[in-house]
Amino acid sequence: QIRRAALSDNVTVAEGTLRKSETESKRYYEIARRSISEIDAALVVSNDLAYLNNYTITIPGKTMVKYFGMLTGMIQSKVS
């Protein structure tokens, strides 16, 4: 699930950058943000269920926060 969401996120951002209208681009970036939220939720649950064998989710968490912020900036730059 995490792999699927991570791939989907990157592909969605790429697709959004190719859109001609700002409205369409914004919609794709919003979809990409939802994929980041999905990854975050899956990591938290996996950690809570001890599936990660003491793997720290701090670094991926910081990366997701940074990426989420970047996408938010891209969305806000597309606001008409």
Side-chain angles (χ1 to χ4, degrees):
Q1 191 73 7
I2 294 169
R3 288 180 189 155
R4 184 206 52 78
L7 177 61
S8 173
D9 181 63
N10 287 294
V11 171
T12 302
V13 170
E15 199 169 341
T17 60
L18 298 174
R19 296 297 166 182
K20 292 184 181 181
S21 81
E22 289 185 357
T23 302
E24 275 190 288
S25 291
K26 180 181 168 187
R27 186 171 65 85
Y28 278 86
Y29 299 152
E30 288 169 345
I31 292 167
R33 276 197 328 184
R34 286 193 294 271
S35 291
I36 293 172
S37 296
E38 186 177 335
I39 295 166
D40 182 52
L43 284 174
V44 168
V45 170
S46 296
N47 190 54
D48 290 349
L49 295 172
Y51 291 162
L52 300 178
N53 297 324
N54 296 324
Y55 176 78
T56 181
I57 61 172
T58 304
I59 294 171
K62 288 180 180 180
T63 302
M64 285 186 292
V65 167
K66 181 180 175 182
Y67 196 41
F68 193 91
M70 290 170 45
L71 282 168
T72 299
M74 293 167 72
I75 290 166
Q76 290 173 346
S77 74
K78 299 289 183 187
V79 173
S80 301

